Amino acid sequence: MKRIRYNSPVVLTFALLSLGALLLGFLTNGASTGLVFSVYRASPTDPLTYVRLFGHVLGHSGWEHYISNMTYILLLGPMLEEKYGSKPLLLMICVTALTTGLVFIALFPGQALLGASGVVFMMIVLSSLSSFGEGEIPLTLILVVVLFLGQEIVSGVTTADNISQLTHVVGGLVGGLMGLWFHRRQENNG
């Protein structure tokens, strides 16, 4: 009989922590989501301000929001974790969370942000860099930038909704920069 293997610890733990945050949000009628799993401008003397800068990527507004983000994360994440390793992928998720959180509170002081879509877009762009070679630009990267990030830029300008397209774009940029940084690091070490 075959065993089930916890094959992608960072990705699976992220998905489970996000599920736990969602369930806790339901149990507390949203109080925990606002307290820990959303980022917004708050006093720098409040210790939870710093927790929220990372914790907002675990929070989701409901099942549909959670499932749409986790579908991408569970599809792309294991491949990225295998390619880059668990610690580097965790670092990339943390850098994405911190960057999207800081950009959001700087530009939208009266609003709150939650969800893993910045991480999703980081993974989308990062996965398109997986075949990056010396002196080459993968066509998949160009298409991802044009299709995914281009759509988010257009939507951000033309659509008034509760979706933070800026977070998607920032997440994608972080993914691209982190992918290039890790690629150059591997070239220099290998």
Side-chain angles (χ1 to χ4, degrees):
M1 186 167 142
K2 303 276 182 189
R3 296 184 308 140
I4 295 176
R5 186 171 63 96
Y6 204 75
N7 63 311
S8 189
V10 169
V11 171
L12 291 169
T13 301
F14 184 88
L16 290 172
L17 288 172
S18 293
L19 178 61
L22 181 64
L23 294 174
L24 188 60
F26 288 140
L27 290 173
T28 63
N29 202 27
S32 63
T33 303
L35 189 64
V36 181
F37 303 114
S38 299
V39 69
Y40 44 86
R41 190 173 290 178
S43 171
T45 61
D46 178 3
L48 288 178
T49 298
Y50 305 99
V51 173
R52 286 189 288 268
L53 282 171
F54 296 95
H56 71 96
V57 296
L58 299 174
H60 290 85
S61 61
W63 288 110
E64 186 178 326
H65 187 207
Y66 172 80
I67 290 169
S68 69
N69 280 333
M70 289 311 123
T71 300
Y72 279 104
I73 288 172
L74 291 169
L75 282 170
L76 299 171
M79 173 196 66
L80 295 171
E81 191 165 349
E82 185 176 322
K83 177 174 177 53
Y84 293 99
S86 296
K87 287 181 184 176
L89 184 61
L90 179 60
L91 173 66
M92 291 179 205
I93 291 170
C94 290
V95 168
T96 302
L98 180 63
T99 305
T100 56
L102 288 172
V103 168
F104 187 84
I105 62 175
L107 297 178
F108 303 100
Q111 298 178 27
L113 172 70
L114 75 158
S117 59
V119 173
V120 167
F121 275 79
M122 177 271 292
M123 288 184 172
I124 289 170
V125 172
L126 189 61
S127 68
S128 71
L129 282 168
S130 63
S131 63
F132 190 79
E134 185 61 38
E136 299 175 336
I137 299 172
L139 180 57
T140 53
L141 174 62
I142 295 168
L143 292 173
V144 162
V145 168
V146 169
L147 295 175
F148 277 94
L149 296 182
Q151 175 189 358
E152 293 306 306
I153 292 168
V154 169
S155 293
V157 172
T158 62
T159 307
D161 57 19
N162 288 331
I163 298 171
S164 176
Q165 286 84 10
L166 178 64
T167 301
H168 299 170
V169 173
V170 171
L173 292 173
V174 169
L177 292 172
M178 294 290 282
L180 292 172
W181 183 72
F182 273 97
H183 177 72
R184 287 210 174 104
R185 211 171 125 207
Q186 286 174 339
E187 277 183 354
N188 292 336
N189 292 335

